[in-house]
Amino acid sequence: MFAISKREFLRLMKGIKSIIIIAILLITAYFSAKFSSLLLTLDEFTASEADIIHTAGFLVLLLFFGQLFVMGLSHDVMNREMHDRTIRFLVTRTSRLSIVLGKFLGVSLFWFTCVAVSFLIVFFFSHSFDWLSFLQLMSLLIFQIALTILLSVLIPKPGFTMFLGVIVGLASPILGFWLTLTNNPWVSWLKFATPYYYLEEDYTFPIILVLAAVLLAVAHLVFQRREC
Amino acid sequence: MNIINTKQLFKKYGSVPVVKGIDLTVKKGEIFGFLGRNGAGKSTFINMLTGIIHPSAGSFSLFGMTGPTDEVKRRIGVMPDYSSFESSLTAMGYLRFLSELSGNKASKEKCLSVLKKVGLEGEAHKKTGKFSFGMKKKLGIAQAIIHDPELIFLDEPTSGMDAESVIQIHQLIRELNSEGKTVFMTSHNLDEVEKLCTRIAIMKDGQIAKIGSMDELRSYYQSTILVKIKHGEIPTSEVNQLTEWLLQSGEGLEMKEKHVIISVNHEKRIAEMIRAFNQCKVDIYRVEVEEASLEEIFLDEQTGHSIRKVM
């Protein structure tokens, strides 16, 4: 499992798409932190809002485009191996559960590194580390990674998941926030199934991890039955 | 000790059965050859045993353990029929990664030694994306043996390789077998299977049509042995007697000038014929024996058109 996660992490780190996304994240973190004090002078913020103003730009970027970034980088994390049949070298050596978990850990470690470095850049300017935002953001990304892995297991063609990745990446935050805020009784119950509902300051974010675990369990069940 | 044991192993894709209930045992230390036409179900059978695909029905055990468990996977090496590698990794990187996945990360020295065995010395640091088809095949074999497995599955190991490489891989398979490893291989190269394998199964339409050693297969098909004898002068008084004895030993007798060609159904008959020549005081200069090749047996099984067969 750890061999797979290490390979996945290194592959993501070396990819040109990853380097571009890392650059976008770090530049956003740097400039949003640097000019956050300017933002404070433009509008009135509550004390708690002012506390996280340094991370605001970075948080908005990942809240709205996190799923797109994750899917952009990892939409083919499973189906590329199945399509190229390199998965055969893995399934004949280790359990399918180890493969799913290894991939999940590798991608998660990549995003943990990116987010942690970005928060450290913010820390350099704000001199405070916003643990709640960090944990909430990581929980959200973990959910998005699990969803990406599930789609990659469900859909065998990498070309299709790339296309679907853009749709899901753009639609999921819009849909998620709408479900969270809507009063429509027919659909509002669906908010409990979206991670965005648990991003309040009430420490309910661990539920996002439970949702991610459910997605991973489904991915494993599907992959377990899949012919490689 | 049986290393592979299958019971009514069955696989169908949709409503099309590909493997139709195979019962098979392979003993430790064998080189077992699996023969059959394209689409006969050879690769499907290997893929089921190695966990790549799931059987539709039936069961199997490897090392006495049901199904490809994690422990079984550590003890087997698999070269699938289609060897495709992640193009960004070097041969060395791939071997180290896959051996680590098998629970025992190979040292650089070990990787170099295995690459040398398969004829990829000097290619260790080349990215697999730049490998030719034959080189990928060799790397496929290398990754199957890098973790010292006890049972090695090789699906058409030498297809697409040049003659020199084929000889090298044959030597490697014999070497692995002499180290006590069991080899289960498929091949379209009948000559290769005949030379290497201690037992052979011929698959036809998803079932094992015949199984056994080469000698057993020959006896199944009652194949004849063609004997050509170059001899000296036959005394005129002995011609009839010798002809009678030869006809008792075999059939299709042809006697040309100082040459006898005859088909026999058992090697004991060759000894009888030589005795007959001696009793008739006829010198024998040369005896040539031609047995049915696996190719002939295979063709006979697949098409029913025998090249040589006892009538």
Side-chain angles (χ1 to χ4, degrees):
Chain A
M1 181 173 79
F2 293 111
I4 294 174
S5 53
K6 190 170 78 180
R7 185 180 69 140
E8 201 57 45
F9 174 74
L10 292 175
R11 185 159 56 178
L12 278 171
M13 278 292 179
K14 287 175 187 169
I16 188 74
K17 281 194 290 183
S18 317
I19 292 167
I20 292 169
I21 287 178
I22 291 169
I24 292 171
L25 291 177
L26 298 187
I27 290 167
T28 306
Y30 176 78
F31 283 104
S32 72
K34 192 174 180 182
F35 297 112
S36 58
S37 49
L38 188 68
L39 202 63
L40 280 172
T41 62
L42 297 176
D43 206 345
E44 285 185 9
F45 293 94
T46 63
S48 61
E49 284 170 342
D51 278 348
I52 61 163
I53 198 75
H54 289 87
T55 53
F58 179 67
L59 287 178
V60 168
L61 182 74
L62 278 185
L63 278 177
F64 285 97
F65 298 104
Q67 182 72 70
L68 187 68
F69 290 161
V70 171
M71 290 216 69
L73 290 184
S74 305
H75 68 89
D76 57 354
V77 66
M78 296 295 292
N79 59 15
R80 173 67 62 194
E81 300 252 26
M82 288 187 265
H83 185 263
D84 294 345
R85 301 199 199 174
T86 50
I87 196 82
R88 291 181 171 197
F89 296 123
L90 308 185
V91 294
T92 54
R93 285 186 146 81
T94 189
S95 70
R96 293 182 181 223
L97 179 63
S98 296
I99 296 170
V100 172
L101 289 180
K103 295 274 184 186
F104 171 74
L105 280 180
V107 180
S108 299
L109 186 62
F110 168 79
W111 282 101
F112 174 82
T113 309
C114 292
V115 173
V117 171
S118 301
F119 267 74
L120 285 174
I121 290 172
V122 172
F123 175 77
F124 179 75
F125 288 97
S126 66
H127 304 294
S128 69
F129 196 95
D130 185 359
W131 281 103
L132 180 62
S133 296
F134 176 75
L135 293 173
Q136 284 178 325
L137 199 56
M138 273 316 300
S139 305
L140 179 65
L141 284 167
I142 281 171
F143 173 88
Q144 291 167 339
I145 292 163
L147 178 62
T148 305
I149 287 177
L150 174 61
L151 289 176
S152 192
V153 169
L154 283 172
I155 299 162
K157 288 185 180 169
F160 191 62
T161 44
M162 188 169 72
F163 168 74
L164 193 71
V166 176
I167 307 289
V168 172
L170 292 172
S172 91
I174 297 167
L175 192 68
F177 281 117
W178 177 69
L179 285 172
T180 303
L181 301 171
T182 185
N183 292 322
N184 185 331
W186 293 100
V187 291
S188 68
W189 58 273
L190 280 170
K191 68 187 174 194
F192 298 110
T194 77
Y196 300 95
Y197 179 69
Y198 305 102
L199 294 177
E200 297 291 326
E201 286 189 21
D202 54 1
Y203 292 93
T204 53
F205 69 85
I207 295 172
I208 300 174
L209 300 179
V210 177
L211 294 176
V214 171
L215 294 181
L216 270 187
V218 176
H220 169 59
L221 284 175
V222 175
F223 185 51
Q224 190 72 24
R225 300 167 70 90
R226 180 72 26 110
E227 310 270 33
C228 298
Chain B
M1 179 197 168
N2 289 338
I3 278 208
I4 301 174
N5 200 351
T6 73
K7 282 182 186 163
Q8 284 301 300
L9 208 56
F10 191 93
K11 179 69 186 176
K12 61 178 181 178
Y13 290 108
S15 59
V16 182
V18 179
V19 173
K20 301 171 186 170
I22 289 185
D23 291 313
L24 175 71
T25 53
V26 175
K27 290 187 174 64
K28 184 175 164 56
E30 281 191 294
I31 303 181
F32 192 91
F34 226 41
L35 279 178
R37 285 178 169 173
N38 290 331
K42 307 182 298 291
S43 296
T44 304
F45 186 74
I46 282 192
N47 289 346
M48 280 193 280
L49 296 186
T50 54
I52 292 172
I53 59 173
H54 307 295
S56 305
S59 63
F60 69 93
S61 65
L62 302 177
F63 306 102
M65 287 173 272
T66 307
T69 60
D70 282 1
E71 194 196 327
V72 165
K73 286 179 180 180
R74 274 193 291 275
R75 294 168 72 181
I76 64 171
V78 185
M79 179 210 177
D81 56 337
Y82 179 88
S83 292
S84 169
F85 300 92
E86 193 185 313
S87 56
S88 61
L89 281 176
T90 61
M92 168 80 80
Y94 226 107
L95 290 184
R96 297 200 81 197
F97 163 63
L98 291 176
S99 60
E100 188 180 1
L101 206 56
S102 293
N104 185 14
K105 189 172 183 177
S107 64
K108 286 182 181 172
E109 292 72 29
K110 165 88 179 171
C111 293
L112 288 173
S113 141
V114 169
L115 287 171
K116 190 177 176 187
K117 279 182 185 173
V118 298
L120 284 177
E121 60 267 44
E123 311 289 351
H125 302 290
K126 193 172 179 179
K127 289 193 174 172
T128 61
K130 292 180 180 169
F131 275 25
S132 67
F133 180 78
M135 289 164 83
K136 282 182 182 170
K137 278 277 181 185
K138 290 177 185 176
L139 186 57
I141 297 171
Q143 63 78 31
I145 61 173
I146 188 69
H147 54 295
D148 282 325
E150 295 165 54
L151 169 61
I152 304 160
F153 291 95
L154 302 173
D155 202 346
E156 296 179 27
T158 57
S159 68
M161 282 187 194
D162 57 73
E164 193 186 340
S165 303
V166 169
I167 293 167
Q168 193 170 15
I169 297 304
H170 287 178
Q171 185 57 37
L172 174 64
I173 291 172
R174 285 194 193 99
E175 199 181 304
L176 290 166
N177 185 242
S178 69
E179 289 168 10
K181 299 183 192 311
T182 310
V183 179
F184 187 102
M185 61 184 282
T186 70
S187 179
H188 287 300
N189 185 340
L190 304 179
D191 187 45
E192 171 178 273
V193 173
E194 187 172 356
K195 277 181 190 163
L196 288 174
C197 297
T198 48
R199 268 203 315 149
I200 298 154
I202 299 177
M203 268 192 99
K204 189 179 179 185
D205 298 331
Q207 289 176 312
I208 292 179
K210 283 290 174 287
I211 185 168
S213 63
M214 267 311 292
D215 286 342
E216 286 168 336
L217 287 179
R218 284 190 187 108
S219 67
Y220 280 139
Y221 288 87
Q222 297 180 302
S223 56
T224 57
I225 303 169
L226 193 69
V227 186
K228 295 176 186 174
I229 299 171
K230 185 181 177 187
H231 56 81
E233 201 69 49
I234 305 172
T236 317
S237 58
E238 302 290 345
V239 171
N240 288 343
Q241 182 62 56
L242 182 62
T243 309
E244 193 180 323
W245 276 338
L246 289 176
L247 282 171
Q248 281 171 9
S249 302
E251 37 186 57
L253 177 65
E254 274 183 55
M255 290 180 85
K256 289 179 186 171
E257 199 178 321
K258 293 183 182 174
H259 279 86
V260 165
I261 301 172
I262 190 165
S263 295
V264 297
N265 59 9
H266 197 281
E267 55 196 8
K268 271 193 252 174
R269 304 279 174 239
I270 302 172
E272 286 172 13
M273 284 194 296
I274 291 169
R275 271 199 299 274
F277 274 93
N278 284 335
Q279 283 179 24
C280 296
K281 297 189 173 61
V282 180
D283 293 333
I284 294 175
Y285 300 132
R286 187 187 296 168
V287 178
E288 287 176 34
V289 175
E290 280 180 24
E291 285 190 275
S293 67
L294 184 58
E295 189 176 349
E296 287 170 303
I297 292 170
F298 181 75
L299 282 173
D300 188 85
E301 179 55 49
Q302 300 291 325
T303 63
H305 299 309
S306 175
I307 294 173
R308 274 192 270 134
K309 209 168 183 180
V310 170
M311 306 306 276

